[in-house]
C-alpha cells in the first residue's frame, strides 16, 4: 500500500517548499510518513544530509548537524528512540526524552526538517519480522555485550535511509563499531548514500559526550575520566607498537578500581580483529566499562608505528560505504 502525502506539522508561516532555514528559524516537524514525504518533496534545490539520533541531543549531536549544514544544501534530523536497539535489561524506559531542548539545538543549527515518529510509525506491524543482520562484525565487542543491538540499529538506519532519501549521512566516530557496520551495510547492500564520519566531541575534561552522561553522579563522572585518559596514554605510546599501546592504556585503567572494564582492545578499524605486534598503520583503540549504573564506551583512532599517535578519524572517512 502506497503512502498518501499529507500536510507537515509546521508552524504558521513555515512551508515545506521553503529553502534551508537560517540558524534560529523553525524547522518543519514531521511525525508521520505522510508528513515526512510531503516535507521531503520540498527539499529539491541541492543535496540532502541526514543526522540520525535517539533524542537527548547534546553538543556532540550539534557538531554532527553543523558539519552536515556546512556541506549539504539541506539537513534532516531524525529523532527516534528505537526500541529494537535495547535489550530487556537495558535503559529504554529511563533514556532521557528532551524534545523541546532537542528542537532548540536543531533550530540553532539551521535544520530544515525534523522527523520525530513514534514506534508504530516506523514499525507499522509491530515487531518487524524481517531485520537487517549485522553478521559476524555485530557479534564482537559491543555486540557481545549487547546481543541483537546492532541488528536493531541497522534495521532502523536502513528504514530511515529509505524514508528520508538522503544523499549523505553523518555519524560520530564515538560509536566506532556502529559506524563501521553502517558503512558495511551501505556498501554490501548498495545504498546510494555517502557515509561521513565526524570526530568525537568531548567535554572540557576529556569525557566523550553521550546522552548517558546525564546518569553519572559527580563521583561517577570523575571515575569515568579514566576511559579517555587510558586512550590518550595508549596513543602516546603509539610509536612503540601495539603491545606498548595496550600496556599504557591498561596501566591507567587498573588504577581506577571503581570502573568495571568490559574490554580494552586495539583492533583493525575495518575487521575489528586484534592487531599483531608487527602491525603498522591505522588501528582502533576502544574501551567499554560500567561506572556506577552506567555503561560507557569510548575509542580513539590511532596511527601505529614511527611518528604514530592519535587521529581524529580514519583516513578514508569520506568515501561512500568504505
Amino acid at each position: 500500500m502506497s503512502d498518501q502525502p499529507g500536510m507537515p506539522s509546521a508552524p504558521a508561516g513555515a512551508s515545506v517548499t521553503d529553502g534551508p532555514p537560517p540558524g534560529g528559524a523553525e524547522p518543519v516537524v514531521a511525525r508521520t510518513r505522510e508528513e515526512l514525504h510531503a516535507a521531503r518533496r520540498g527539499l529539491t534545490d541541492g543535496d540532502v544530509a541526514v543526522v540520525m539520533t535517539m533524542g537527548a541531543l547534546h553538543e556532540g549531536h550539534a557538531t554532527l548537524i553543523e558539519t552536515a549544514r556546512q556541506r549539504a544544501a539541506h539537513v534532516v534530523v531524525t529523532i527516534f528512540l528505537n526500541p529494537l536497539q535495547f535489550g530487556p535489561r537495558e535503559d529504554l524506559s529511563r533514556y532521557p526524552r528532551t524534545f523541546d531542548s532537542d528542537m532548540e539545538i536543531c533550530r540553532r543549527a539551521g535544520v530544515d526538517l525534523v522527523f520525530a515518529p513514534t514506534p508504530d510509525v516506523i514499525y507499522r506491524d509491530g515487531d518487524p519480522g524481517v531485520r537487517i543482520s549485522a553478521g559476524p562484525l555485530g557479534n564482537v565487542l559491543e555486540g557481545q555485550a549487547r546481543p541483537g543491538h546492532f541488528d536493531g540499529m541497522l534495521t532502523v538506519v536502513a528504514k530511515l535511509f529509505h524514508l528520508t532519501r538522503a544523499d549523505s549521512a553523518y555519524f560520530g566516530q564515538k560509536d566506532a563499531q556502529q559506524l563501521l557496520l553502517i558503512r558495511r551495510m551501505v556498501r554490501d547492500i548498495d545504498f546510494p548514500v555517502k557515509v561521513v564520519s565526524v570526530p568525537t566531541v568531548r567535554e572540557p575534561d576529556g569525557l566523550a559526550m553521550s546522552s548517558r552522561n546525564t546518569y553519572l553522579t559527580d563521583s561517577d563522572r570523575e571515575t569515568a575520566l579514566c576511559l579517555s585518559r587510558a586512550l590518550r596514554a595508549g596513543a602516546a605510546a603509539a610509536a612503540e607498537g601495539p603491545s606498548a599501546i595496550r600496556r599504557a592504556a591498561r596501566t591507567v585503567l587498573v588504577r581506577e578500581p571503581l570502573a568495571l572494564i568490559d574490554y580494552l582492545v586495539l583492533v583493525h578499524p575495518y575487521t575489528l580483529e586484534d592487531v599483531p605486534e608487527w602491525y603498522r598503520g591505522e588501528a582502533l583503540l576502544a574501551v567499554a566499562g560500567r561506572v556506577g549504573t552506567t555503561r560507557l564506551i569510548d575509542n580513539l583512532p590511532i596511527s601505529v608505528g614511527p611518528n604514530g599517535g592519535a587521529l581524529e578519524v580514519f583516513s578514508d572517512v569520506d568515501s561512500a560505504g568504505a
Side-chain angles (χ1 to χ4, degrees), residues 11-143:
S15 166
V16 297
T17 58
D18 290 339
E26 192 72 27
V28 171
V29 177
R31 295 190 179 274
T32 68
R33 290 166 178 252
E34 293 84 1
E35 291 174 355
L36 173 63
H37 293 167
R40 179 62 180 83
R41 283 203 307 271
L43 306 181
T44 57
D45 53 335
D47 58 338
V48 174
V50 65
V51 176
M52 299 181 188
T53 82
M54 294 202 300
L57 304 191
H58 49 66
E59 288 306 309
H61 296 107
T63 298
L64 287 174
I65 297 168
E66 289 160 2
T67 303
R69 174 84 275 170
Q70 293 166 6
R71 301 186 186 184
H74 302 286
V75 177
V76 177
V77 169
T78 66
I79 299 176
F80 178 62
L81 190 54
N82 178 31
L84 297 193
Q85 292 176 228
F86 291 80
R89 298 183 180 179
E90 293 185 332
D91 57 354
L92 176 61
S93 62
R94 71 168 183 150
Y95 196 88
R97 292 157 170 84
T98 57
F99 186 75
D100 289 344
S101 59
D102 294 348
M103 285 301 299
E104 180 55 36
I105 288 176
C106 291
R107 190 177 298 114
R108 190 173 71 235
V111 170
D112 298 82
L113 170 60
V114 173
F115 181 42
T118 54
D120 63 301
V121 171
I122 295 296
Y123 305 116
R124 291 177 289 187
D125 298 319
D127 194 39
V130 175
R131 305 187 187 196
I132 300 288
S133 171
L137 285 175
N139 295 327
V140 299
L141 303 181
E142 285 303 289

Side-chain angles (χ1 to χ4, degrees), residues 121-264:
V121 171
I122 295 296
Y123 305 116
R124 291 177 289 187
D125 298 319
D127 194 39
V130 175
R131 305 187 187 196
I132 300 288
S133 171
L137 285 175
N139 295 327
V140 299
L141 303 181
E142 285 303 289
Q144 186 172 22
R146 306 178 66 188
H149 166 73
F150 288 119
D151 292 356
M153 178 275 295
L154 289 179
T155 298
V156 79
V157 168
K159 290 174 75 70
L160 291 172
F161 278 156
H162 288 308
L163 289 169
T164 63
R165 294 181 288 117
D167 302 292
S168 58
Y170 289 71
F171 296 94
Q173 174 60 42
K174 176 184 172 291
D175 296 299
Q177 190 173 3
Q178 169 181 281
L179 175 62
L180 169 60
L181 285 164
I182 291 170
R183 288 182 180 279
R184 287 295 299 268
M185 178 181 72
V186 164
R187 183 178 65 190
D188 291 349
I189 307 182
D190 295 310
F191 279 92
V193 61
K194 180 179 181 180
V195 177
V196 182
S197 173
V198 178
T200 299
V201 179
R202 298 184 179 276
E203 304 279 2
D205 58 11
L207 185 67
M209 287 191 176
S210 169
S211 300
R212 290 185 170 90
N213 289 351
T214 59
Y215 302 159
L216 298 172
T217 65
D218 290 344
S219 60
D220 287 344
R221 187 184 178 91
E222 188 63 32
T223 299
L225 295 178
C226 72
L227 302 183
S228 57
R229 285 200 299 264
L231 297 177
R232 290 197 300 271
E240 302 172 50
S243 291
I245 294 170
R246 295 182 177 106
R247 184 168 55 249
R250 193 175 299 114
T251 298
V252 173
L253 295 176
V254 298
R255 292 173 182 163
E256 185 47 84
L258 296 180
L260 304 179
I261 302 303
D262 285 350
Y263 60 77
L264 170 71

